[in-house]
Amino acid sequence: MLSGSERAARYESRRRADGYRKVHLWVPAARAGEIAGIAARLRRDHEAARQRRSLRDRLRRLEPILRDYGIVHLALTGAAARGELKPRESTDLVADFTPGCFLYASERETLERDLSARLGRPATLTDGMLLSPPERRRLAAGQVRVF
């Protein structure tokens, strides 16, 4: 059984490995709420970035499989791009296919099921060429490119 100091050291080591640094501050009591809000926002932003990186890394490992389906470019959109995914929420993806590539509905469903299984959460795949130009521009503003 670990002592309290050993547990604390192990905890700090894990947090450092996750990119966190321990900072202690003395602030005026009148500004403590403001500083706490800033710290919470920083923690939320850090978690969002970590979540995006994790999803992007998993999708990049699937790139050879996705290219076999004719996908040239893949991007995260929506809550996945913002890093605001909730546990059961779908991962929204926009794919650009090679010109002349055509997927039957059954192949697209198979691809979505395979992506969902590999990502461990539901995945929704949209063909970027089927989007209207205004919708494409709107989505492009918030996309995170995978490959």
Side-chain angles (χ1 to χ4, degrees), residues 75-100:
L76 292 166
T77 61
R82 293 187 305 271
E84 299 171 356
L85 275 178
K86 297 193 177 26
R88 295 273 182 216
E89 196 170 356
S90 175
T91 302
D92 298 323
L93 302 164
V94 174
D96 291 328
F97 291 86
T98 55

Side-chain angles (χ1 to χ4, degrees), residues 64 66 69:
L66 297 172
Y69 277 99

Side-chain angles (χ1 to χ4, degrees), residues 38-67:
I38 292 169
R41 194 168 42 254
L42 287 171
R43 281 191 301 274
R44 196 172 45 248
D45 291 348
H46 177 75
E47 178 59 27
R50 189 196 64 73
Q51 189 181 61
R52 270 193 309 270
R53 264 193 317 272
S54 171
L55 259 175
R56 240 187 8 223
D57 290 345
R58 282 187 274 165
L59 286 166
R60 282 185 180 147
R61 285 193 297 268
L62 298 175
E63 185 176 349
I65 296 167
L66 297 172
R67 289 206 185 268

Side-chain angles (χ1 to χ4, degrees), residues 6-135:
E6 290 170 325
R7 278 197 314 268
R10 184 178 283 181
Y11 174 78
E12 283 188 28
S13 172
R14 282 196 315 264
R15 298 300 284 179
R16 284 185 183 281
D18 287 340
Y20 287 99
R21 295 297 175 263
K22 193 174 196 178
V23 178
H24 295 278
L25 299 173
W26 284 98
V27 296
R31 299 206 50 208
E34 176 189 352
I35 302 296
I38 292 169
R41 194 168 42 254
L42 287 171
R43 281 191 301 274
R44 196 172 45 248
D45 291 348
H46 177 75
E47 178 59 27
R50 189 196 64 73
Q51 189 181 61
R52 270 193 309 270
R53 264 193 317 272
S54 171
L55 259 175
R56 240 187 8 223
D57 290 345
R58 282 187 274 165
L59 286 166
R60 282 185 180 147
R61 285 193 297 268
L62 298 175
E63 185 176 349
I65 296 167
L66 297 172
R67 289 206 185 268
D68 288 343
Y69 277 99
I71 296 176
V72 180
H73 301 291
L74 186 71
L76 292 166
T77 61
R82 293 187 305 271
E84 299 171 356
L85 275 178
K86 297 193 177 26
R88 295 273 182 216
E89 196 170 356
S90 175
T91 302
D92 298 323
L93 302 164
V94 174
D96 291 328
F97 291 86
T98 55
C101 179
F102 178 78
L103 285 182
Y104 291 102
S106 62
E107 291 173 315
R108 181 177 301 278
E109 289 170 8
T110 302
L111 177 56
E112 281 187 353
R113 266 197 312 273
D114 190 29
L115 279 170
S116 297
R118 290 173 186 263
L119 293 176
R121 64 182 330 116
T124 304
L125 185 67
T126 303
D127 187 344
M129 298 309 286
L130 298 178
L131 299 171
S132 66
E135 192 174 9

